[in-house]
Amino acid sequence: MNKQFIIAWIVIFVAWFAGSFVVHGVLLHDDYSKLSNLFRTEAESQQYFPLMVLAHVLLSGAFVWIYARGAEAKPWLGQGLRFGVAIALLTIVPTYLIYYVVQPMPGVVAAKQIVFDGILMLILGSFAAFLYRQPAQS
């Protein structure tokens, strides 16, 4: 671990945590409120908040670690978007498809989760690539 890695981990953690709040706490809030039988109440969820923070610390650290191992001296934005798509296809899409299969989740909610979190992965991939950008070699 070096300084660049630690800085990227912190930046991705903050962006991911904030982005998840926007996606799940704002954009999907009304959809989730209609599915109270599937989710904890907001008050009950608060006692588990430290686990939510821990999850985002682990997610962001792994995200940066994987990106840093494969970063190339190529244009950063393309690499970041490609990485975001790969992570979305590895995690976001299958996770919400599986949830849709095993929970009585409306298809439109699952689709919104995939689209919104997929967009978040593109943003996070771009942030990671920006933080690890190198001059392109000719």
Side-chain angles (χ1 to χ4, degrees), residues 34-55:
K34 295 173 189 168
L35 303 169
S36 60
N37 59 322
L38 296 180
F39 298 103
R40 297 182 192 279
T41 65
E42 289 184 35
E44 186 183 3
S45 295
Q46 288 305 309
Q47 67 182 328
Y48 298 102
F49 189 74
L51 292 174
M52 184 67 72
V53 173
L54 176 61

Side-chain angles (χ1 to χ4, degrees), residues 44-114:
E44 186 183 3
S45 295
Q46 288 305 309
Q47 67 182 328
Y48 298 102
F49 189 74
L51 292 174
M52 184 67 72
V53 173
L54 176 61
H56 281 81
V57 167
L58 296 172
L59 285 165
S60 57
F63 190 90
V64 172
W65 180 38
I66 295 167
Y67 183 83
R69 301 297 292 166
E72 300 175 290
K74 293 183 178 179
W76 64 269
L77 184 57
Q79 284 191 92
L81 293 174
R82 182 182 69 226
F83 184 68
V85 167
I87 294 297
L89 292 174
L90 179 67
T91 60
I92 302 302
V93 175
T95 297
Y96 289 125
L97 287 177
I98 291 167
Y99 286 171
Y100 178 69
V101 169
V102 300
Q103 288 183 318
M105 177 79 64
V108 69
V109 174
K112 286 179 182 180
Q113 290 171 320
I114 290 169

